[in-house]
Amino acid sequence: MTTVDKTSDDYVKLDKATEATDVAELAKAVKMVEVIAPADLPEGYTFEADVDGTRVPVVVPAGGVKKDQQFRVPMPDESAGPTGVTGAWKDGLFNCLSLGICHPHFCLGCWCRPLALAQVMTRMRLTWTGEPGNVSAVSKTFRNVVVLFVAFIALDNFLSVMVSTQPLEFTENVSEDGTVHEQLVMSPTASLFYALRSGLETCFFLYLLLATCRTRQAVRTHYNIPEQNCQGCEDFCCALWCSACSVCQMMRHTTDYETYPAACCTDTGLPPNAPQSVV
């Protein structure tokens, strides 16, 4: 019987062969997708790519990529949970100035809150009503809210002008002692325009209240954030009494402004190549 002694080189070759087999099996187990770089991007940068009609986050491999370069990456695990801060808010409700008074998220949250809310809804893949939607519906969320907001501003100002340009009418009221009092009142036409304007503003306020409440609830559910105050109605209370601060808090929680600079007029409030939701 002949005995064959294996040298250290033989074991090294065996280990390398085993490692190559493991890598091949791992490649089969992990689905790889081919994407095209939208721009020159550095290593580790994350952007969203369209894979079979679904927007998925893609991390740029080592060495970075050039614009229009094709490269293969593992298909993200859709069953994985959120990668950002979970279990609690990233910061407090009133930390609106933590990034500076001129930061786009604060400016939009204070002066163009519907647009800021639309950006959060797009990040969370919600429709303009604050409900979960498909890719096609979510892609129109920001546009729909912008159209609704502009239409509201235009119609509200039109009705305001119509009220102010209507002539006032004098009415006479006679008191018990016989004294005649003259009083200026709005004409029936002015009263109609005033009622229409009040109804319009009430409807838009209720829409923002509902959309903010639904969006905040979606953010809390996604990041497993429990209610801390006003159990059972915290989202409603924040949307009603602290809507601007609440929207700003959601904007900070659903992205990383230290990595991706804010943008005022994009669908997500982030640069075009940034992922829809980066945390």
Side-chain angles (χ1 to χ4, degrees):
M1 181 176 180
T2 303
T3 303
V4 179
D5 294 330
K6 292 185 178 180
T7 64
S8 59
D9 291 340
D10 292 330
Y11 282 109
V12 171
K13 292 179 181 178
L14 181 60
D15 290 340
K16 289 184 176 179
T18 303
E19 182 179 353
T21 302
D22 292 341
V23 171
E25 292 178 353
L26 180 61
K28 292 179 180 179
V30 178
K31 181 180 178 181
M32 303 294 289
V33 294
E34 189 170 273
V35 297
I36 300 176
D40 295 345
L41 301 174
E43 173 184 342
Y45 189 93
T46 304
F47 68 97
E48 285 200 337
D50 191 347
V51 178
D52 297 330
T54 302
R55 304 289 290 179
V56 297
V58 173
V59 179
V60 176
V65 294
K66 298 294 183 180
K67 183 178 180 180
D68 297 329
Q69 176 182 339
Q70 294 185 354
F71 60 99
R72 293 171 62 83
V73 294
M75 181 70 174
D77 183 8
E78 297 181 355
S79 62
T83 57
V85 178
T86 59
W89 290 102
K90 185 184 296 184
D91 54 18
L93 180 64
F94 302 111
N95 284 37
C96 302
L97 297 177
S98 59
L99 300 173
I101 194 171
C102 295
H103 195 272
H105 101 285
F106 175 73
C107 295
L108 278 181
C110 287
W111 296 298
C112 290
R113 189 164 65 255
L115 304 190
L117 180 61
Q119 291 175 344
V120 178
M121 289 193 289
T122 302
R123 295 177 191 176
M124 297 306 300
R125 295 174 174 81
L126 304 175
T127 65
W128 67 279
T129 60
E131 298 178 324
N134 54 36
V135 175
S136 177
V138 171
S139 66
K140 301 174 183 176
T141 295
F142 185 76
R143 183 201 66 183
N144 290 344
V145 174
V146 169
V147 171
L148 181 64
F149 185 45
V150 171
F152 164 74
I153 294 295
L155 188 54
D156 187 62
N157 280 278
F158 169 76
L159 293 174
S160 177
V161 171
M162 295 303 296
V163 170
S164 62
T165 56
Q166 296 300 314
L168 297 176
E169 297 181 352
F170 282 97
T171 61
E172 294 183 351
N173 295 322
V174 181
S175 60
E176 294 181 355
D177 59 0
T179 305
V180 177
H181 300 278
E182 290 187 345
Q183 184 179 5
L184 282 174
V185 297
M186 290 190 297
S187 66
T189 303
S191 298
L192 174 61
F193 284 125
Y194 182 82
L196 289 175
R197 187 188 182 201
S198 299
L200 174 69
E201 292 176 345
T202 300
C203 290
F204 192 71
F205 168 78
L206 292 176
Y207 161 72
L208 285 181
L209 178 64
L210 177 63
T212 304
C213 186
R214 285 179 171 177
T215 303
R216 193 176 191 277
Q217 185 178 39
V219 172
R220 285 198 311 99
T221 300
H222 183 74
Y223 292 98
N224 301 314
I225 303 174
E227 291 181 314
Q228 297 177 341
N229 303 290
C230 304
Q231 295 294 323
C233 61
E234 180 181 279
D235 299 322
F236 174 79
C237 291
C238 287
L240 179 62
W241 304 113
C242 307
S243 57
C245 293
S246 182
V247 171
C248 288
Q249 184 185 41
M250 290 188 288
M251 294 183 77
R252 295 191 302 275
H253 196 91
T254 54
T255 193
D256 181 6
Y257 285 123
E258 294 182 0
T259 303
Y260 301 95
C264 286
C265 301
T266 62
D267 291 1
T268 60
L270 300 169
N273 295 329
Q276 185 166 303
S277 181
V278 298
V279 294

